[in-house]
């Protein structure tokens, strides 16, 4: 009888511990944010917060397309529905105030745990974002793995734009960043990366710059463009790197995993355009203390694959000439990137951190004058590129003329 009673009572007792969460809420009662944009608007430090929110009603019905759009809401906040995404906005005297004001304009609880990207408007970035970063660092809803970007103009227009692939800007940018990490053609930056730069000896951080409209497309076709890099000193945007300077930045950060060079080259059939894919890049930087001052010895290596070579005969002499040409182009690009850093007095190459690690005592002595010392640093740059791949064929499909 005792065993029988235990068999009956045990499942009942177990059910008491399997009750649902006391604070759970239906998904339709939550506003799940996947991307936010933060702009500065006229007023006493006024903030405009734009959020891309998953539309649970549309998602439940399997509606992934565009179902039309409209704007509703009260002064200071709007809601614009587009298919399975809702664009909601809020204003406030600060970033935290704008988040709290979402409650005034939305009946759903705003959730940021699933957020992936954070876009700052250019005007806001130029005025300083320390307060916003402080709020994010304190709030457990904002993950250190969130991607940070700065808009070429307004963050709101990025999140409201239509993309050419039928997805939404937050989703597309997130996937672009993931792809860039796997095969870097551009330097992606997370919240943790940015804060690390702010806390570094050089006090310099970076963010990719995002713009609406891919190169070569009509303005109405939409698309997202990521090519340039914004430079921050402490918490303020001070300058923007060009496309080539941004590519040189990958070598300085030792993140060169992929990329390509397209350049003219003298072949047996005249001057032709050659394309070489660069892979497996690696960079070593050694601080040297010399009587003339500080010298940064930079040594970069990588492998190349010939991608396009009309009229080119791939003999050892030609390949060696190609390697020297590629090395020269990459060296000039890296030199321009470092020159830009010294020109704007922003140590995004991280030379201060390297010197501190190599000789802490010397760094302690030069740290107070680093602003004047950094532009005077000399560099010695060497590249070693080995072109070892030719794709599925060796020589060009176009029969080359006789080469000397």
């Amino acid at each position: 009888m005792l065993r029988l009673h235990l068999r009956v009572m045990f499942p009942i007792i177990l059910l008491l511990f399997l009750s649902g969460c006391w604070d759970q809420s239906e998904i339709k009662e939550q506003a799940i944010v996947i991307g936010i944009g933060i702009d500065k608007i006229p007023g006493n430090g006024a903030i405009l917060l734009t959020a891309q929110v998953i539309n649970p009603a549309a998602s439940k019905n399997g509606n992934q397309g565009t179902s039309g759009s409209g704007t509703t809401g009260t002064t200071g906040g709007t809601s614009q529905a587009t298919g399975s995404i809702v664009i909601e906005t809020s204003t406030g005297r600060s970033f935290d105030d704008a988040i709290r004001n979402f409650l005034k304009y939305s009946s759903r609880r705003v959730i940021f745990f699933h957020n992936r990207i954070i876009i700052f408007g250019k005007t806001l970035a130029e005025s300083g974002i320390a307060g916003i970063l402080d709020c994010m660092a304190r709030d457990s809803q904002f993950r250190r793995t969130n991607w940070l970007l700065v808009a070429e103009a307004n963050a709101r227009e990025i999140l409201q734009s239509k993309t050419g692939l039928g997805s939404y800007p937050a989703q597309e940018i997130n996937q672009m960043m993931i792809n860039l990490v796997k095969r870097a053609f551009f330097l992606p930056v997370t919240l943790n990366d940015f804060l690390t730069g702010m806390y570094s000896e050089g006090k310099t951080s970076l963010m990719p710059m995002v713009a609406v409209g891919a190169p070569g497309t009509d303005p109405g076709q939409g698309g997202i463009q990521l090519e340039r890099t914004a430079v921050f000193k402490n918490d303020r945007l001070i300058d923007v790197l060009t496309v080539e300077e941004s590519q040189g930045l990958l070598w300085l950060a030792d993140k060169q995993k992929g990329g390509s060079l397209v350049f003219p080259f003298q072949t047996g059939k005249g001057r032709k355009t050659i394309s070489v894919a660069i892979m497996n890049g690696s960079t070593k930087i050694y601080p040297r203390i010399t009587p003339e001052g500080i010298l940064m010895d930079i040594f970069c290596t990588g492998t190349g694959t010939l991608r396009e070579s009309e009229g080119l005969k791939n003999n050892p002499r030609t390949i060696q000439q190609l390697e020297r040409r590629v090395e020269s182009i990459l060296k000039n690009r890296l030199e321009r990137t470092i020159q830009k850093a010294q020109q704007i007095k922003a140590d995004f190459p991280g030379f201060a951190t390297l010197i501190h690690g190599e000789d802490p005592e010397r760094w302690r002595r030069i740290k107070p004058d680093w602003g004047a010392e950094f532009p005077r640093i000399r560099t010695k740059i060497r590249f070693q590129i080995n072109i070892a791949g030719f794709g599925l064929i060796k020589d060009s499909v176009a029969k080359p003329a006789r080469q000397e």
Side-chain angles (χ1 to χ4, degrees), residues 264-400:
F265 187 76
Q266 187 67 37
T267 71
K269 299 185 71 173
R271 200 170 180 82
K272 299 294 183 180
T273 298
I274 303 297
S275 177
V276 176
I278 307 298
M279 299 168 291
N280 305 320
S282 177
T283 303
K284 303 294 182 183
I285 305 179
Y286 306 97
R288 310 293 189 194
I289 308 302
T290 70
E292 293 78 22
I294 300 173
L295 171 69
M296 305 305 292
D297 190 357
I298 305 173
F299 182 54
C300 304
T301 61
T303 59
T305 299
L306 204 57
R307 304 294 300 173
E308 184 177 349
S309 59
E310 180 186 353
L312 185 69
K313 186 174 181 60
N314 296 335
N315 55 49
R317 179 184 175 186
T318 302
I319 295 304
Q320 188 178 42
Q321 291 174 344
L322 272 177
E323 290 173 343
R324 300 294 84 78
R325 180 64 185 279
V326 169
E327 291 167 355
S328 175
I329 294 173
L330 293 176
K331 179 183 177 182
N332 290 336
R333 179 178 293 177
L334 186 52
E335 285 175 343
R336 289 197 297 271
T337 303
I338 296 174
Q339 287 170 2
K340 181 64 168 289
Q342 293 180 309
Q343 176 187 346
I344 63 177
K345 297 183 178 181
D347 183 18
F348 57 79
F351 291 164
T353 300
L354 292 170
I355 296 171
H356 178 264
E358 182 75 15
D359 191 342
E361 179 59 29
R362 184 175 184 87
W363 169 248
R364 186 185 64 81
R365 294 196 302 268
I366 66 175
K367 182 177 180 178
D369 300 320
W370 182 242
E373 185 69 30
F374 174 66
R376 294 198 295 262
I377 287 181
R378 296 174 298 116
T379 60
K380 178 182 178 182
I381 301 174
R382 294 169 293 160
F383 270 88
Q384 183 176 314
I385 303 298
N386 178 31
I387 298 179
F390 306 97
L392 297 178
I393 62 174
K394 181 179 179 181
D395 291 325
S396 171
V397 295
K399 185 177 179 181

Side-chain angles (χ1 to χ4, degrees), residues 45-357:
I47 294 294
L48 171 65
L49 179 59
T50 305
Q52 266 194 7
V53 180
I54 295 177
N55 184 354
S59 299
K60 183 177 181 180
N61 296 330
N63 182 1
Q64 298 297 325
T66 300
S67 61
S69 62
T71 301
T72 61
T74 59
T75 303
T78 63
S79 178
Q80 180 178 347
T82 306
S84 61
I85 293 294
V86 175
I87 302 295
E88 295 193 357
T89 62
S90 172
T91 59
R93 291 169 298 175
S94 67
F95 176 65
D96 183 62
D97 189 39
I99 290 178
R100 294 181 183 277
N101 284 340
F102 267 127
L103 297 174
K104 298 179 182 179
Y105 316 127
S106 175
S107 60
R108 296 181 292 162
R109 179 188 174 196
V110 181
I111 303 296
F112 292 93
F113 287 113
H114 299 279
N115 185 60
R116 292 292 179 267
I117 67 166
I118 301 168
I119 306 175
F120 296 95
K122 187 177 181 181
T123 301
L124 174 64
E126 291 172 337
S127 65
I129 57 175
I132 296 173
L133 294 174
D134 185 75
C135 181
M136 290 179 177
R138 296 174 186 275
D139 194 332
S140 61
Q141 290 198 79
F142 290 96
R143 302 175 185 271
R144 292 295 182 99
T145 54
N146 283 175
W147 303 115
L148 295 193
L149 305 99
V150 60
E152 190 175 60
N154 300 319
R156 181 177 182 176
E157 72 175 6
I158 301 294
L159 292 178
Q160 290 182 326
S161 65
K162 296 179 180 179
T163 65
L165 298 178
S167 59
Y168 303 99
Q171 296 169 323
E172 184 168 337
I173 293 173
N174 179 56
Q175 189 58 51
M176 290 171 72
M177 290 296 193
I178 292 173
N179 293 338
L180 289 171
V181 168
K182 294 178 180 178
R183 191 171 181 82
F185 294 92
F186 189 83
L187 187 65
V189 175
T190 64
L191 174 58
N192 189 66
D193 295 331
F194 191 89
L195 293 176
T196 299
M198 283 186 61
Y199 300 148
S200 70
E201 299 293 345
K203 309 295 183 185
T204 304
S205 299
L206 302 163
M207 277 190 206
M209 176 162 275
V210 58
V212 177
T217 62
D218 295 331
Q221 294 299 314
I224 298 296
Q225 177 183 347
L226 286 171
E227 287 188 321
R228 300 189 296 161
T229 305
V231 181
F232 286 74
K233 189 68 174 291
N234 293 314
D235 69 317
R236 297 176 185 271
L237 171 64
I238 61 170
D239 213 319
V240 179
L241 304 184
T242 66
V243 176
E244 289 193 349
E245 290 166 349
S246 299
Q247 292 170 348
L249 184 63
L250 287 170
W251 290 100
L252 286 173
D254 195 19
K255 296 292 181 65
Q256 178 63 49
K257 299 179 182 178
S260 62
L261 285 180
V262 180
F263 54 91
F265 187 76
Q266 187 67 37
T267 71
K269 299 185 71 173
R271 200 170 180 82
K272 299 294 183 180
T273 298
I274 303 297
S275 177
V276 176
I278 307 298
M279 299 168 291
N280 305 320
S282 177
T283 303
K284 303 294 182 183
I285 305 179
Y286 306 97
R288 310 293 189 194
I289 308 302
T290 70
E292 293 78 22
I294 300 173
L295 171 69
M296 305 305 292
D297 190 357
I298 305 173
F299 182 54
C300 304
T301 61
T303 59
T305 299
L306 204 57
R307 304 294 300 173
E308 184 177 349
S309 59
E310 180 186 353
L312 185 69
K313 186 174 181 60
N314 296 335
N315 55 49
R317 179 184 175 186
T318 302
I319 295 304
Q320 188 178 42
Q321 291 174 344
L322 272 177
E323 290 173 343
R324 300 294 84 78
R325 180 64 185 279
V326 169
E327 291 167 355
S328 175
I329 294 173
L330 293 176
K331 179 183 177 182
N332 290 336
R333 179 178 293 177
L334 186 52
E335 285 175 343
R336 289 197 297 271
T337 303
I338 296 174
Q339 287 170 2
K340 181 64 168 289
Q342 293 180 309
Q343 176 187 346
I344 63 177
K345 297 183 178 181
D347 183 18
F348 57 79
F351 291 164
T353 300
L354 292 170
I355 296 171
H356 178 264

